[in-house]
Amino acid sequence: QVQLVESGGGLVQPGGSLRLSCAASGNIFYIYTMGWYRQDPGKQRELVATITSGGSTNYADSVKGRFTISRDNAKNTVYLQMNKLKPEDTAVYYCNTDLLSTIRREYWGKGTLVTVSS
């Protein structure tokens, strides 16, 4: 059984920073791509950033230059450093991984709320 546990969400003022973490645990043989998505109520879930097992990254245009995704393969953990936060970054942030357990499939975390407000 595989679990993804996110942490690091919260309330921050515009211009501030937060760091999200997502740790994968369980019967894991290999982790391919890891990523972060976000969803506002009433909107579709959207990609924020992804990182491959080799370290290649991809970002949504709206976060380029402000957010940085990284991973620690030894800890099966992915991070999202969010700087210069804006009110429009407010959303529930979900961790996503493509990994090999008994089968290869995607897993989602339960989400962590990020609120950017003064």
Short mmCIF file of all heavy atoms in Angstrom, two decimals, residues 27-52:
data_model
loop_
_atom_site.label_atom_id
_atom_site.label_comp_id
_atom_site.label_asym_id
_atom_site.label_seq_id
_atom_site.Cartn_x
_atom_site.Cartn_y
_atom_site.Cartn_z
N ASN A 27 5.06 0.25 -0.16
CA ASN A 27 5.74 -0.72 -0.98
C ASN A 27 6.10 -0.09 -2.33
O ASN A 27 5.40 -0.26 -3.32
CB ASN A 27 4.84 -1.95 -1.18
CG ASN A 27 5.57 -3.08 -1.85
OD1 ASN A 27 6.79 -3.18 -1.77
ND2 ASN A 27 4.84 -3.94 -2.53
N ILE A 28 7.20 0.64 -2.36
CA ILE A 28 7.60 1.41 -3.54
C ILE A 28 8.90 0.85 -4.11
O ILE A 28 9.89 0.74 -3.39
CB ILE A 28 7.79 2.90 -3.19
CG1 ILE A 28 6.48 3.49 -2.67
CG2 ILE A 28 8.30 3.66 -4.40
CD1 ILE A 28 6.64 4.88 -2.09
N PHE A 29 8.86 0.53 -5.41
CA PHE A 29 10.08 0.05 -6.06
C PHE A 29 10.80 1.16 -6.80
O PHE A 29 12.03 1.19 -6.85
CB PHE A 29 9.73 -1.09 -7.02
CG PHE A 29 9.27 -2.33 -6.34
CD1 PHE A 29 7.93 -2.70 -6.36
CD2 PHE A 29 10.17 -3.14 -5.66
CE1 PHE A 29 7.51 -3.85 -5.71
CE2 PHE A 29 9.75 -4.30 -5.02
CZ PHE A 29 8.41 -4.65 -5.04
N TYR A 30 10.01 2.07 -7.40
CA TYR A 30 10.63 3.15 -8.17
C TYR A 30 9.62 4.28 -8.34
O TYR A 30 8.44 4.03 -8.55
CB TYR A 30 11.07 2.65 -9.54
CG TYR A 30 11.94 3.63 -10.31
CD1 TYR A 30 13.30 3.74 -10.01
CD2 TYR A 30 11.41 4.45 -11.29
CE1 TYR A 30 14.10 4.63 -10.70
CE2 TYR A 30 12.19 5.35 -11.98
CZ TYR A 30 13.54 5.43 -11.68
OH TYR A 30 14.35 6.33 -12.35
N ILE A 31 10.13 5.52 -8.24
CA ILE A 31 9.29 6.68 -8.47
C ILE A 31 9.71 7.37 -9.74
O ILE A 31 10.88 7.75 -9.88
CB ILE A 31 9.32 7.65 -7.28
CG1 ILE A 31 8.80 6.96 -6.01
CG2 ILE A 31 8.47 8.88 -7.58
CD1 ILE A 31 8.83 7.84 -4.77
N TYR A 32 8.79 7.55 -10.64
CA TYR A 32 9.06 8.23 -11.89
C TYR A 32 8.86 9.74 -11.68
O TYR A 32 9.58 10.36 -10.94
CB TYR A 32 8.17 7.67 -13.01
CG TYR A 32 8.42 6.21 -13.27
CD1 TYR A 32 7.68 5.23 -12.59
CD2 TYR A 32 9.40 5.78 -14.15
CE1 TYR A 32 7.92 3.88 -12.80
CE2 TYR A 32 9.63 4.43 -14.37
CZ TYR A 32 8.90 3.49 -13.69
OH TYR A 32 9.14 2.16 -13.88
N THR A 33 7.84 10.30 -12.27
CA THR A 33 7.58 11.73 -12.13
C THR A 33 6.84 12.04 -10.84
O THR A 33 5.95 11.28 -10.43
CB THR A 33 6.78 12.25 -13.33
OG1 THR A 33 7.51 12.00 -14.53
CG2 THR A 33 6.49 13.74 -13.22
N MET A 34 7.22 13.14 -10.21
CA MET A 34 6.52 13.66 -9.04
C MET A 34 6.06 15.08 -9.37
O MET A 34 6.74 15.77 -10.14
CB MET A 34 7.41 13.68 -7.80
CG MET A 34 8.04 12.34 -7.49
SD MET A 34 9.04 12.35 -5.98
CE MET A 34 7.76 12.10 -4.74
N GLY A 35 4.96 15.49 -8.80
CA GLY A 35 4.48 16.82 -9.16
C GLY A 35 3.49 17.39 -8.17
O GLY A 35 3.07 16.72 -7.21
N TRP A 36 3.17 18.64 -8.42
CA TRP A 36 2.18 19.37 -7.64
C TRP A 36 1.11 19.92 -8.57
O TRP A 36 1.41 20.45 -9.65
CB TRP A 36 2.83 20.52 -6.87
CG TRP A 36 3.74 20.06 -5.78
CD1 TRP A 36 5.08 19.88 -5.86
CD2 TRP A 36 3.36 19.73 -4.45
NE1 TRP A 36 5.56 19.45 -4.65
CE2 TRP A 36 4.52 19.35 -3.77
CE3 TRP A 36 2.15 19.72 -3.74
CZ2 TRP A 36 4.52 18.96 -2.42
CZ3 TRP A 36 2.14 19.34 -2.43
CH2 TRP A 36 3.32 18.97 -1.78
N TYR A 37 -0.13 19.80 -8.14
CA TYR A 37 -1.28 20.37 -8.83
C TYR A 37 -2.05 21.20 -7.80
O TYR A 37 -1.85 21.04 -6.59
CB TYR A 37 -2.18 19.26 -9.38
CG TYR A 37 -1.55 18.50 -10.52
CD1 TYR A 37 -0.50 17.61 -10.31
CD2 TYR A 37 -2.00 18.66 -11.83
CE1 TYR A 37 0.09 16.91 -11.35
CE2 TYR A 37 -1.43 17.96 -12.89
CZ TYR A 37 -0.38 17.10 -12.64
OH TYR A 37 0.19 16.41 -13.67
N ARG A 38 -2.90 22.07 -8.28
CA ARG A 38 -3.72 22.85 -7.36
C ARG A 38 -5.13 23.01 -7.90
O ARG A 38 -5.36 22.91 -9.11
CB ARG A 38 -3.10 24.22 -7.08
CG ARG A 38 -3.05 25.15 -8.28
CD ARG A 38 -2.25 26.41 -7.92
NE ARG A 38 -2.21 27.36 -9.03
CZ ARG A 38 -1.47 28.46 -9.04
NH1 ARG A 38 -0.71 28.77 -7.98
NH2 ARG A 38 -1.50 29.27 -10.08
N GLN A 39 -6.04 23.26 -6.97
CA GLN A 39 -7.44 23.38 -7.35
C GLN A 39 -8.15 24.40 -6.47
O GLN A 39 -8.11 24.30 -5.25
CB GLN A 39 -8.15 22.03 -7.25
CG GLN A 39 -9.56 22.02 -7.79
CD GLN A 39 -10.13 20.61 -7.91
OE1 GLN A 39 -9.67 19.69 -7.25
NE2 GLN A 39 -11.12 20.45 -8.75
N ASP A 40 -8.79 25.36 -7.15
CA ASP A 40 -9.67 26.31 -6.48
C ASP A 40 -11.07 25.72 -6.50
O ASP A 40 -11.44 25.02 -7.44
CB ASP A 40 -9.69 27.62 -7.29
CG ASP A 40 -9.00 28.74 -6.57
OD1 ASP A 40 -8.68 28.57 -5.38
OD2 ASP A 40 -8.79 29.79 -7.20
N PRO A 41 -11.89 26.03 -5.50
CA PRO A 41 -13.28 25.56 -5.54
C PRO A 41 -13.97 26.02 -6.81
O PRO A 41 -13.85 27.18 -7.20
CB PRO A 41 -13.91 26.20 -4.30
CG PRO A 41 -12.77 26.43 -3.38
CD PRO A 41 -11.59 26.74 -4.26
N GLY A 42 -14.65 25.12 -7.48
CA GLY A 42 -15.38 25.48 -8.69
C GLY A 42 -14.53 25.50 -9.94
O GLY A 42 -15.03 25.81 -11.02
N LYS A 43 -13.24 25.21 -9.80
CA LYS A 43 -12.36 25.20 -10.96
C LYS A 43 -11.74 23.83 -11.14
O LYS A 43 -11.75 23.00 -10.23
CB LYS A 43 -11.26 26.25 -10.79
CG LYS A 43 -11.75 27.68 -10.78
CD LYS A 43 -10.58 28.65 -10.72
CE LYS A 43 -11.04 30.09 -10.71
NZ LYS A 43 -9.89 31.04 -10.64
N GLN A 44 -11.17 23.62 -12.33
CA GLN A 44 -10.49 22.36 -12.60
C GLN A 44 -9.14 22.32 -11.92
O GLN A 44 -8.50 23.36 -11.71
CB GLN A 44 -10.31 22.17 -14.11
CG GLN A 44 -11.56 21.74 -14.83
CD GLN A 44 -11.26 21.31 -16.27
OE1 GLN A 44 -10.38 21.87 -16.90
NE2 GLN A 44 -12.00 20.34 -16.76
N ARG A 45 -8.70 21.12 -11.59
CA ARG A 45 -7.36 20.96 -11.04
C ARG A 45 -6.35 21.29 -12.14
O ARG A 45 -6.50 20.84 -13.28
CB ARG A 45 -7.17 19.53 -10.53
CG ARG A 45 -5.94 19.31 -9.69
CD ARG A 45 -5.94 17.93 -9.06
NE ARG A 45 -7.03 17.77 -8.11
CZ ARG A 45 -7.18 16.70 -7.34
NH1 ARG A 45 -6.30 15.71 -7.40
NH2 ARG A 45 -8.19 16.61 -6.51
N GLU A 46 -5.32 22.05 -11.77
CA GLU A 46 -4.33 22.46 -12.77
C GLU A 46 -2.92 22.10 -12.32
O GLU A 46 -2.62 22.06 -11.12
CB GLU A 46 -4.40 23.98 -13.01
CG GLU A 46 -4.08 24.83 -11.81
CD GLU A 46 -4.09 26.32 -12.14
OE1 GLU A 46 -4.46 26.69 -13.27
OE2 GLU A 46 -3.70 27.11 -11.26
N LEU A 47 -2.08 21.86 -13.31
CA LEU A 47 -0.68 21.53 -13.04
C LEU A 47 0.05 22.77 -12.53
O LEU A 47 -0.13 23.88 -13.04
CB LEU A 47 -0.01 21.03 -14.31
CG LEU A 47 1.46 20.66 -14.22
CD1 LEU A 47 1.76 19.47 -15.12
CD2 LEU A 47 2.37 21.82 -14.59
N VAL A 48 0.86 22.57 -11.51
CA VAL A 48 1.74 23.63 -11.00
C VAL A 48 3.17 23.37 -11.46
O VAL A 48 3.79 24.22 -12.09
CB VAL A 48 1.67 23.72 -9.47
CG1 VAL A 48 2.66 24.78 -8.96
CG2 VAL A 48 0.25 24.02 -9.00
N ALA A 49 3.67 22.18 -11.14
CA ALA A 49 5.04 21.84 -11.50
C ALA A 49 5.24 20.34 -11.42
O ALA A 49 4.59 19.66 -10.61
CB ALA A 49 6.04 22.54 -10.58
N THR A 50 6.15 19.82 -12.25
CA THR A 50 6.52 18.41 -12.18
C THR A 50 8.04 18.27 -12.26
O THR A 50 8.73 19.17 -12.76
CB THR A 50 5.90 17.59 -13.33
OG1 THR A 50 6.36 18.12 -14.58
CG2 THR A 50 4.39 17.62 -13.28
N ILE A 51 8.52 17.14 -11.77
CA ILE A 51 9.95 16.85 -11.84
C ILE A 51 10.11 15.35 -12.10
O ILE A 51 9.48 14.52 -11.45
CB ILE A 51 10.67 17.28 -10.54
CG1 ILE A 51 12.18 17.04 -10.66
CG2 ILE A 51 10.08 16.62 -9.30
CD1 ILE A 51 12.99 17.73 -9.56
N THR A 52 10.94 15.03 -13.08
CA THR A 52 11.17 13.63 -13.43
C THR A 52 12.20 12.99 -12.51
O THR A 52 12.86 13.68 -11.72
CB THR A 52 11.64 13.51 -14.88
OG1 THR A 52 12.97 14.06 -14.97
CG2 THR A 52 10.71 14.24 -15.83
#
